[in-house]
Amino acid sequence: MENTQRQTYLDWLRILSIAGVLFFHAAMPFVAEDGWHLKNAETSNLLMESNFFLHLFRMPLLFFISGTVSYYMMRKRSATAFIGLRFRRLFIPLLAGMFIIVPPQIYMERLAGGYQGSFWSWYPDVFNFVPYPEGSFSWHHLWFIAYLFIYDILLAPLFSWMSAGTSDTFKNLLQSLSRGKRVYLLMIPGVVWYALFSRKYPETNDLVNDGGYFIYWIFFLLAGFICVVQPRLMDSLERNRRFALTIGFLALMFLNYLRWNKIEPGHQNWPFTSNLFNYLFEAIKPIVAWGWVLALIGYGKHYLNQKTRALNYMNQAAYPFYILHQTVIVILVYYFIPLTQESILSKYIYTLGFTFFITLLTYHLLIRPFAVTRLLFGMKPKNPAIKQSEPDEYTP
């Protein structure tokens, strides 16, 4: 059975994912231990815990959803046409972001570090193309767009084949995974890969030194594509949603019990000397990720597959909102952190609220109405024919 109808629950999950990214990045200046572009003098361990939880599954969920949108974009297109579309919707916003959106973040960081010149006297440093942090050339939070663009180019032939009628035998084989709880076998490659390589190759988001995570993310992208190619897999996720949530919940509780009692590799209460137990500990994190991602997909399909009048607007706003939001956060935080009389909570709430307000109005007033800005922010042209044929980008 071919999945030809756009699935509304994926749109809702995408919007909820963007909201999660906003909460995550707004908290980063105030969390303990984790470094960021600008940091408050006082930090919070509790905010760190909430961000730790969000970080385990927010990017996996976004890559899973991006895999589904690759299917909808690939339908009735050749691999070449698909790559052309991804160039317009991913590469152009990435390029614009690296020269327009990201530089103000780096400039505010330089000001916090003692630089005293104007933005325009500093800005030419971007064109020295020295990678951040030594230089001022970076994609910062837009790394996701870069990775997704590379994935789609590399996988375009595979996506084209899986979307075509010539892969019906393969799709029938996939159907066997929909029986019982076999769909959760999709977790195994990603869990094994993460357990073996995440500690050796920690996350950098710079592509060059990010081999462990570059491969890890792709398992979620492929799972999303596979599950939408064979709709019975999505049905299985909906049917078994409680099972997935149980896996994600219990794995999270077990992981936090170990972490909070310092029972982890390299800490004082870790009783094991064999590397096998180090790998088993690392395997808990991707199990949490897969459990929550597949649970959210299942619950979303069951409860969120309905349209409202606001959905189309929010769906179009989500991609530009993601591109803009972190720059707004960094600028606001530059002015908020010196306010020593204010609590962490008030700074976080105001960072969250003002970022939402400024970013949404910037989108509504300065991006949405104009053809040039729509192109630079990866939106569809204002063309009814294109509106029907191209789904919105499922990007954080």
Side-chain angles (χ1 to χ4, degrees):
M1 178 176 65
E2 185 183 4
N3 192 0
T4 57
Q5 186 176 2
R6 181 73 176 270
Q7 304 298 305
T8 305
Y9 70 94
L10 294 171
D11 295 330
W12 281 115
L13 287 172
R14 174 207 187 199
I15 292 163
L16 291 173
S17 298
I18 302 303
V21 169
L22 172 61
F23 277 87
F24 179 88
H25 283 148
M28 281 304 293
F30 311 108
V31 302
E33 297 186 15
D34 295 331
W36 209 59
H37 310 296
L38 296 176
K39 294 293 286 189
N40 197 53
E42 184 184 0
T43 56
S44 166
N45 284 289
L46 295 180
L47 276 179
M48 180 187 70
E49 288 301 322
S50 62
N51 266 22
F52 174 80
F53 171 58
L54 282 173
H55 188 61
L56 288 174
F57 70 89
R58 67 187 180 95
M59 298 314 302
L61 177 61
L62 287 164
F63 276 116
F64 186 100
I65 296 174
S66 295
T68 69
V69 83
S70 292
Y71 167 77
Y72 289 110
M73 287 186 167
M74 178 61 79
R75 284 184 305 127
K76 301 179 182 178
R77 283 191 178 90
S78 66
T80 303
F82 172 74
I83 290 173
L85 179 59
R86 304 311 268 156
F87 181 88
R88 177 164 62 83
R89 301 284 286 277
L90 294 174
F91 185 75
I92 290 177
L94 174 65
L95 204 62
M98 292 175 71
F99 289 104
I100 300 172
I101 304 302
V102 171
Q105 298 183 42
I106 302 174
Y107 174 68
M108 303 311 286
E109 185 177 348
R110 298 293 186 253
L111 286 181
Y115 182 78
Q116 296 182 347
S118 70
F119 176 80
W120 297 114
S121 65
W122 166 85
Y123 184 69
D125 191 48
V126 174
F127 295 91
N128 292 328
F129 300 109
V130 178
Y132 174 90
E134 289 77 15
S136 302
F137 187 65
S138 175
W139 50 44
H140 270 39
H141 66 295
L142 305 183
W143 68 267
F144 176 88
I145 301 175
Y147 280 38
L148 184 55
F149 179 66
I150 294 170
Y151 291 154
D152 279 345
I153 290 177
L154 294 175
L155 296 174
L158 177 63
F159 287 167
S160 180
W161 174 75
M162 284 200 289
S163 302
T166 52
S167 66
D168 285 346
T169 301
F170 174 71
K171 293 172 189 173
N172 290 335
L173 288 173
L174 288 177
Q175 184 176 323
S176 66
L177 290 176
S178 66
R179 299 170 190 159
K181 295 177 172 57
R182 295 182 189 178
V183 68
Y184 297 103
L185 293 174
L186 293 174
M187 298 169 54
I188 294 175
V191 170
V192 172
W193 179 271
Y194 187 96
L196 292 177
F197 297 107
S198 64
R199 187 170 288 268
K200 185 177 181 181
Y201 302 105
E203 183 180 2
T204 65
N205 303 143
D206 67 357
L207 185 63
V208 178
N209 304 297
D210 203 25
Y213 277 80
F214 182 81
I215 301 298
Y216 176 61
W217 306 130
I218 208 170
F219 289 116
F220 292 96
L221 185 82
L222 285 169
F225 196 98
I226 287 170
C227 286
V228 80
V229 157
Q230 177 45 268
R232 293 195 179 182
L233 296 181
M234 287 295 198
D235 295 338
S236 179
L237 292 178
E238 180 183 11
R239 188 172 61 251
N240 293 299
R241 61 191 182 277
R242 187 182 181 92
F243 176 76
L245 184 58
T246 302
I247 291 175
F249 172 69
L250 292 179
L252 177 65
M253 293 300 99
F254 182 52
L255 176 62
N256 282 338
Y257 167 77
L258 295 176
R259 290 176 56 245
W260 293 352
N261 290 282
K262 301 188 184 303
I263 308 172
E264 52 185 322
H267 287 68
Q268 61 192 41
N269 294 330
W270 184 248
F272 308 107
T273 56
S274 170
N275 279 335
L276 173 62
F277 290 95
N278 294 345
Y279 295 138
L280 290 175
F281 176 85
E282 294 301 328
I284 303 172
K285 295 176 185 175
I287 291 173
V288 173
W290 281 100
W292 283 88
V293 167
L294 299 183
L296 287 168
I297 297 296
Y299 277 96
K301 188 175 188 303
H302 192 74
Y303 292 108
L304 299 178
N305 210 14
Q306 49 190 310
K307 295 181 180 179
T308 69
R309 295 181 62 180
L311 178 61
N312 185 55
Y313 180 89
M314 291 189 292
N315 214 17
Q316 292 185 52
Y319 190 25
F321 189 97
Y322 168 73
I323 294 173
L324 282 170
H325 82 284
Q326 184 166 297
T327 296
V328 177
I329 289 172
V330 171
I331 293 173
L332 288 173
V333 166
Y334 174 79
Y335 294 102
F336 287 173
I337 8 185
L339 304 177
T340 55
Q341 72 276 19
E342 300 291 343
S343 68
I344 284 183
L345 180 60
S346 64
K347 290 180 183 180
Y348 175 57
I349 291 173
Y350 272 83
T351 300
L352 196 63
F354 272 89
T355 298
F356 179 80
F357 175 76
I358 293 170
T359 307
L360 190 61
L361 281 183
T362 301
Y363 160 75
H364 185 78
L365 299 174
L366 303 177
I367 296 173
R368 186 171 181 261
F370 307 111
V372 172
T373 48
R374 290 179 72 93
L375 174 67
L376 293 179
F377 283 85
M379 297 182 68
K380 296 177 295 188
K382 281 191 171 181
N383 182 320
I386 294 178
K387 183 177 180 180
Q388 295 301 318
S389 64
E390 293 181 10
D392 291 294
E393 188 58 57
Y394 291 104
T395 308

